[in-house]
């Protein structure tokens, strides 16, 4: 045991820091990992609420695309294209052939003789070149039937505005708000647990520190008694057996002091861990040097309904039940019609809005989209029933939690009364033990009381002090547990 103490003693030489109970709480709250996780969940739930709120607003999106094609589209066959390209030549040949046949007709020759102007006109017509211009026109027509799609551009801007979604958006927003409140309630629960852990560790250290100081005083008494007994043995007033008995008690007191020292160091290391401090930080608590542990005031009784309203666990279960109700409403919304307003603007290149042109041009459209679910294996109905069953389950859990909390509070109130009575009795016993020790010490130094009687008085004095310390710490810890149970 002494070796363990020597191994831990270097910690006492490290940096010292005096901390009050509130400072320990603040440090633990600032450094607790689980509390940080709970706070992050609250932030995530807040983002989910904002995401659900965004469903009230229109959804506007823009898109664009480009495509390269290796070939164009030709609406005419190769034969039709060739016919159009040689249309003038064909007409020229047909005209020459028709005029030649007409001039070789005897009856028509007589008409020409009587009308020399007509003969001149036919001569001009036969000498005219119509093949070239008409071929060019045919080529233009052929080109017009070839669509240039090698480079295609498409762009669109779309707007969708929900009009009626069967209550889905409304209930989703309410459920998101409830989820955020639930995350906050869970954070509060963890916050209170951290405070409770720190308070218990704090007062445990105060208890061990007071017992260590008590062990030092007890060891000092025995050392003084050992010195007096040694003198009395030399004078023949006490026996060697008395001296050996005192030495045994002195050694036991030394062992007790060693245990208290080790327990104090380990308890402070635990508090350092809870507070997020390095384990080699040697804390000095503001209350560990007090001669008397402060006694908390007994809390006034409050009704069960006030306790339920203050407990975050009850709030969490109630929020979970409300979320289940909203889940049922969401599932019911899947069975109702959905109506949305749509608007789009589309731009393309090439476009066909005024012939086929390789230019940008566009159009807009507006409309209303309606979706009416008919049947899908009764899936939505089963979802509604499941959500209702979950709500009933949560209600049962809520009622059970209320009963357990009522029992817990009643038990802690009873323990509070018992702890107060213990403290009063321990105080009375301590006063009697101190007086008994004083008279026994005087009697032993005067040689009228044996050593065993004095050692018994010292043991009773130490026991009374220890019980008084335990009663005071029990009052503090019970006050913390009762405050936690009552939601304070």
């Amino acid at each position: 045991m002494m070796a363990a103490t020597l191994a831990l003693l270097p910690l006492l030489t490290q940096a010292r820091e005096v901390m009050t109970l509130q400072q320990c709480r603040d440090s633990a709250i600032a450094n607790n990992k689980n509390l940080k996780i709970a706070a992050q969940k609250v932030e995530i739930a807040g983002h989910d609420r904002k995401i659900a709120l965004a469903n009230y607003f229109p959804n506007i999106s823009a898109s664009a695309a480009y495509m390269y094609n290796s070939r164009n589209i030709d609406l005419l066959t190769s034969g039709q294209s060739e016919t159009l390209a040689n249309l003038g030549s064909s007409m020229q040949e047909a005209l020459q052939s028709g005029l030649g046949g007409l001039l070789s007709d005897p009856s028509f020759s007589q008409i020409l003789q009587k009308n020399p102007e007509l003969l001149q006109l036919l001569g001009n017509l036969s000498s005219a070149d119509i093949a070239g211009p008409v071929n060019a026109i045919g080529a233009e027509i052929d080109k017009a039937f070839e669509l240039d799609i090698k480079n295609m551009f498409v762009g669109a801007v779309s707007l969708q505005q929900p009009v009626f979604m069967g209550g889905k958006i409304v209930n989703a927003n309410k459920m998101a708000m409830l989820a955020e409140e639930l995350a906050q309630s869970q954070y509060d629960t963890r916050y209170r647990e951290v405070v409770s852990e720190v308070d218990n560790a704090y007062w445990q250290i105060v208890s061990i520190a007071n017992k260590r100081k008590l062990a030092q005083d007890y060891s000092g008494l025995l050392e003084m008694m050992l010195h007096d007994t040694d003198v009395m043995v030399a004078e023949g007033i006490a026996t060697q057996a008395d001296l050996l008995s005192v030495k045994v008690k002195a050694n036991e007191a030394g062992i007790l002091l060693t245990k208290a020292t080790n327990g104090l160091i380990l308890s402070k290391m635990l508090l350092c861990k809870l507070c997020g401090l390095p384990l080699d930080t040697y804390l000095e608590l503001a209350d560990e040097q007090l001669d008397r542990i402060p006694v908390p005031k007994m809390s006034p009784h409050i009704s069960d309904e006030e306790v339920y309203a203050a407990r975050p666990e009850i709030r969490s279960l109630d929020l979970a039940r409300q979320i289940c109700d909203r889940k049922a409403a969401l599932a019911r919304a899947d069975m109702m019609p959905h109506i949305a307003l749509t608007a789009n603007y589309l731009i393309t290149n090439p476009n066909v809005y005024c012939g086929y042109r390789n230019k940008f041009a566009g159009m807009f459209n507006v409309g209303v989209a309606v979706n009416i679910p008919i049947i899908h294996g009764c899936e939505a109905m089963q979802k509604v029933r499941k959500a209702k069953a979950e709500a009933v389950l949560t209600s049962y859990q809520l009622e059970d939690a209320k009963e357990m909390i009522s029992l817990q509070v009643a038990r802690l109130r009873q323990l509070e009364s018992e702890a107060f009575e213990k403290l009063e009795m321990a105080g009375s016993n301590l006063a009697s033990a101190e007086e008994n020790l004083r008279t026994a010490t005087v009697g032993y130094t005067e040689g009228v009381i044996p050593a065993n009687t004095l050692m018994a008085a010292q043991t009773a004095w130490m026991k009374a002090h220890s019980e008084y310390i335990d009663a005071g710490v029990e009052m503090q810890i019970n006050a913390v547990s009762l405050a936690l149970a009552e939601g304070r």
Side-chain angles (χ1 to χ4, degrees):
M1 188 66 69
M2 185 63 70
T5 305
L6 293 175
L8 293 173
L9 280 178
L11 296 177
L12 301 176
T13 63
Q14 302 295 329
R16 296 171 180 264
E17 186 172 355
V18 179
M19 296 183 69
T20 63
L21 176 59
Q22 188 59 46
Q23 288 174 329
C24 290
R25 289 175 176 176
D26 295 340
S27 180
I29 290 168
N31 295 285
N32 186 269
K33 298 294 188 299
N34 290 330
L35 202 58
K36 290 181 179 180
I37 292 172
Q40 201 65 26
K41 289 181 178 179
V42 174
E43 183 178 352
I44 292 172
H47 292 310
D48 287 338
R49 176 182 55 81
K50 294 176 182 178
I51 291 172
L53 182 63
N55 291 325
Y56 281 115
F57 300 97
N59 182 15
I60 302 175
S61 62
S63 58
Y66 166 78
M67 181 181 294
Y68 173 79
N69 298 299
S70 63
R71 297 180 62 182
N72 291 328
I73 295 177
D74 198 342
L75 302 179
L76 301 177
T77 65
S78 58
Q80 292 172 333
S81 297
E82 186 178 354
T83 301
L84 284 174
N86 298 316
L87 181 61
S89 301
S90 300
M91 290 178 64
Q92 186 76 44
E93 291 178 0
L95 180 60
Q96 294 293 339
S97 177
L99 288 177
L102 188 62
L103 292 174
S104 62
D105 188 351
S107 58
F108 190 71
S109 298
Q110 294 177 359
I111 296 173
L112 290 177
Q113 290 177 358
K114 296 178 180 180
N115 298 281
E117 294 83 359
L118 180 59
L119 180 61
Q120 185 179 359
L121 177 61
L122 291 176
N124 293 335
L125 185 61
S126 62
S127 61
D129 182 17
I130 63 174
V134 175
N135 284 342
I137 294 173
E140 287 291 331
I141 296 173
D142 179 55
K143 185 178 180 181
F145 279 95
E146 182 181 357
L147 307 182
D148 183 7
I149 61 166
K150 284 191 175 182
N151 296 289
M152 296 186 66
F153 302 88
V154 178
V157 178
S158 301
L159 180 146
Q160 292 181 343
Q161 173 62 56
V163 178
F164 177 74
M165 294 288 130
K168 193 168 189 176
I169 296 178
V170 175
N171 286 288
N173 275 269
K174 291 182 178 179
M175 191 166 71
M177 288 189 288
L178 292 172
E180 185 178 17
E181 292 183 27
L182 177 59
Q184 182 62 52
S185 178
Q186 291 172 343
Y187 174 86
D188 294 340
T189 300
R190 183 55 193 160
Y191 180 95
R192 290 154 50 82
E193 290 174 353
V194 170
V195 171
S196 176
E197 290 174 357
V198 171
D199 284 13
N200 289 335
Y202 183 92
W203 291 115
Q204 192 67 32
I205 291 174
V206 172
S207 173
I208 296 175
N210 277 269
K211 288 185 177 181
R212 180 176 178 273
K213 184 166 59 176
L214 178 61
Q216 287 176 332
D217 295 341
Y218 180 57
S219 180
L221 289 175
L222 288 171
E223 291 293 335
M224 185 182 299
M225 183 180 177
L226 182 61
H227 176 268
D228 293 343
T229 304
D230 194 26
V231 174
M232 294 171 70
V233 169
E235 295 177 355
I237 300 175
T239 65
Q240 193 68 30
D242 293 334
L243 181 61
L244 292 175
S245 298
V246 175
K247 285 183 177 180
V248 170
K249 282 290 184 180
N251 290 335
E252 291 178 354
I255 294 173
L256 186 63
L257 178 60
T258 300
K259 289 182 178 180
T261 302
N262 291 340
L264 181 62
I265 293 174
L266 293 174
S267 298
K268 288 187 176 182
M269 290 175 67
L270 174 61
L271 183 60
C272 287
K273 179 181 179 299
L274 293 175
C275 294
L277 301 174
L279 296 183
D280 60 351
T281 302
Y282 184 73
L283 296 178
E284 287 188 4
L285 304 186
D287 294 323
E288 71 175 271
Q289 300 299 331
L290 297 178
D291 294 332
R292 302 276 181 173
I293 295 177
V295 180
K297 295 181 180 179
M298 294 186 66
S299 60
H301 283 218
I302 59 177
S303 65
D304 288 345
E305 293 302 322
E306 291 176 313
V307 172
Y308 300 153
R311 285 290 292 263
E313 296 91 342
I314 297 297
R315 178 62 177 163
S316 296
L317 287 171
D318 184 58
L319 289 170
R321 180 185 57 78
Q322 294 182 51
I323 288 174
C324 290
D325 292 337
R326 294 301 170 186
K327 287 173 65 177
L330 279 176
R332 195 179 297 111
D334 290 335
M335 298 186 292
M336 302 181 70
H338 296 170
I339 303 174
L341 175 67
T342 64
N344 302 279
Y345 181 79
L346 178 68
I347 185 171
T348 62
N349 182 3
N351 73 86
V352 293
Y353 299 115
C354 185
Y356 188 85
R357 297 183 299 171
N358 288 94
K359 293 182 179 180
F360 283 99
M363 59 174 287
F364 71 89
N365 58 66
V366 294
V368 177
V370 180
N371 179 25
I372 303 176
I374 298 177
I375 188 171
H376 189 257
C378 299
E379 178 186 3
M381 185 179 297
Q382 297 303 323
K383 287 182 179 179
V384 173
R385 291 176 179 174
K386 177 185 175 182
K388 288 182 178 179
E390 290 175 348
V392 173
L393 174 63
T394 308
S395 298
Y396 291 153
Q397 293 174 339
L398 180 61
E399 293 301 322
D400 181 65
K402 287 182 178 180
E403 292 177 1
M404 296 299 295
I405 287 175
S406 297
L407 180 62
Q408 180 190 28
V409 171
R411 175 177 170 274
L412 288 173
R413 285 172 180 167
Q414 183 65 30
L415 290 177
E416 184 184 43
S417 300
E418 292 178 3
F420 188 75
E421 293 176 2
K422 285 182 182 179
L423 187 63
E424 289 185 339
M425 290 187 290
S428 177
N429 292 338
L430 178 60
S432 300
E434 287 178 343
E435 179 61 23
N436 183 38
L437 177 62
R438 187 188 66 79
T439 57
T441 302
V442 172
Y444 180 73
T445 55
E446 293 178 357
V448 297
I449 290 179
N452 289 338
T453 302
L454 178 57
M455 287 188 293
Q458 290 172 341
T459 303
W461 171 82
M462 183 175 180
K463 181 180 178 182
H465 261 289
S466 179
E467 289 177 349
Y468 185 79
I469 293 170
D470 289 340
V473 171
E474 184 179 350
M475 282 286 294
Q476 288 287 352
I477 293 177
N478 191 78
V480 172
S481 299
L482 183 58
L484 186 68
E486 292 182 342
R488 292 184 281 111

